[in-house]
Amino acid sequence: MIGKLNHVAIAVPDLDAAAAQYRDTLGARVNPPQDEPDHGVTVVFIDLPNTKIELLHPLGDDSPISGFLAKNPSGGIHHICYEVDDILAARDRLIASGARVLGSGEPKIGAHGKPVLFLHPKDFTGTLVELEQV
């Protein structure tokens, strides 16, 4: 059901410093920041040959990333994202197998302009999983 690893998301307390570290220290191609108000984050995508890194920074007072950074002040891996061909079929199959979909269960449009869903970390060995339709 799942396809390629789309990205690894890392919550960061300082978006500019994190982007500079990937660009200047690691020599990666760093894209400009983009605000995602529906998700409460500002993101910066870093292109790698085989996947992407998504740097996440809180946007607004109700950002889910604020709580993560309160517990992890230095930042850290927030979630991993897998590609799926049909997000609704994937959701239905996961729910039928007992997995919990976060939020309303309906896909939202993610940072790539494609439908996404998040799966409860307690159902996936402590890892928050995002599915993105490709």
Side-chain angles (χ1 to χ4, degrees), residues 56-124:
L56 300 170
H57 189 264
L59 176 65
D61 294 335
D62 296 331
S63 174
I65 301 305
S66 296
F68 183 90
L69 288 172
K71 295 177 193 168
N72 306 278
S74 297
I77 294 176
H78 183 263
H79 69 268
I80 57 174
C81 177
Y82 298 111
E83 297 177 354
V84 295
D85 290 329
D86 182 336
I87 200 159
L88 296 177
R91 176 201 62 194
D92 294 346
R93 180 176 170 184
L94 286 158
I95 290 171
S97 71
R100 290 172 280 178
V101 176
L102 297 179
S104 70
E106 292 302 316
K108 288 185 174 183
I109 299 302
H112 296 119
K114 298 176 182 175
V116 299
L117 288 171
F118 285 88
L119 307 176
H120 201 293
K122 289 184 180 177
D123 298 335
F124 294 93

Side-chain angles (χ1 to χ4, degrees), residues 34-80:
Q34 62 187 65
D35 290 343
E36 296 294 333
D38 288 346
H39 297 278
V41 296
T42 299
V43 301
V44 168
F45 281 101
I46 298 162
D47 297 324
L48 303 177
N50 59 342
T51 193
K52 294 180 281 298
I53 300 293
E54 179 185 41
L55 301 178
L56 300 170
H57 189 264
L59 176 65
D61 294 335
D62 296 331
S63 174
I65 301 305
S66 296
F68 183 90
L69 288 172
K71 295 177 193 168
N72 306 278
S74 297
I77 294 176
H78 183 263
H79 69 268
I80 57 174

Side-chain angles (χ1 to χ4, degrees), residues 14-37:
D14 184 332
L15 191 58
D16 292 334
Q21 184 177 44
Y22 274 88
R23 182 184 57 246
D24 302 337
T25 306
L26 295 173
R29 181 171 167 254
V30 176
N31 292 287
Q34 62 187 65
D35 290 343
E36 296 294 333

